Amino acid sequence: MDSKKLIVDQIIDDVAVLEDQGVMINVPVNELPNDIHDGSILILDENGYHVDVELEEEKKEDLRARLERLKNINNG
């Protein structure tokens, strides 16, 4: 099985809404790692779901940098 990258779009009650290449799927929260939150990046492989903390931090830093560039454009 190839691994898949999914993003936690939102958590509603006991269900996580995950985005898989533009397709939204619902997964019971109890099937996912305990430390997920909106925006978590999950890897699904033969061993189940895992949080990709490193990739999540890279994405956050990229968004921070983009926001900073936009602020500079608007103030410049």
Side-chain angles (χ1 to χ4, degrees):
M1 170 183 187
D2 292 335
S3 64
K4 288 179 125 183
K5 180 175 72 171
L6 305 113
I7 300 172
V8 177
D9 182 65
Q10 60 182 320
I11 300 171
I12 305 170
D13 297 323
D14 294 334
V15 175
V17 180
L18 307 180
E19 179 186 350
D20 179 11
Q21 297 180 357
V23 177
M24 305 309 257
I25 58 173
N26 296 332
V27 177
V29 171
N30 64 0
E31 294 181 15
L32 301 172
N34 292 331
D35 54 348
I36 64 164
H37 53 83
D38 293 0
S40 288
I41 298 176
L42 301 175
I43 302 298
L44 174 60
D45 60 22
E46 63 275 354
N47 297 315
Y49 292 95
H50 309 280
V51 177
D52 190 332
V53 177
E54 185 176 312
L55 183 56
E56 187 177 331
E57 286 302 316
E58 288 175 19
K59 295 280 187 187
K60 284 181 186 178
E61 186 55 39
D62 181 53
L63 288 172
R64 281 187 205 104
R66 288 179 189 208
L67 181 59
E68 199 57 40
R69 284 193 301 272
L70 286 173
K71 287 180 183 178
N72 291 335
I73 289 171
N74 290 332
N75 292 332

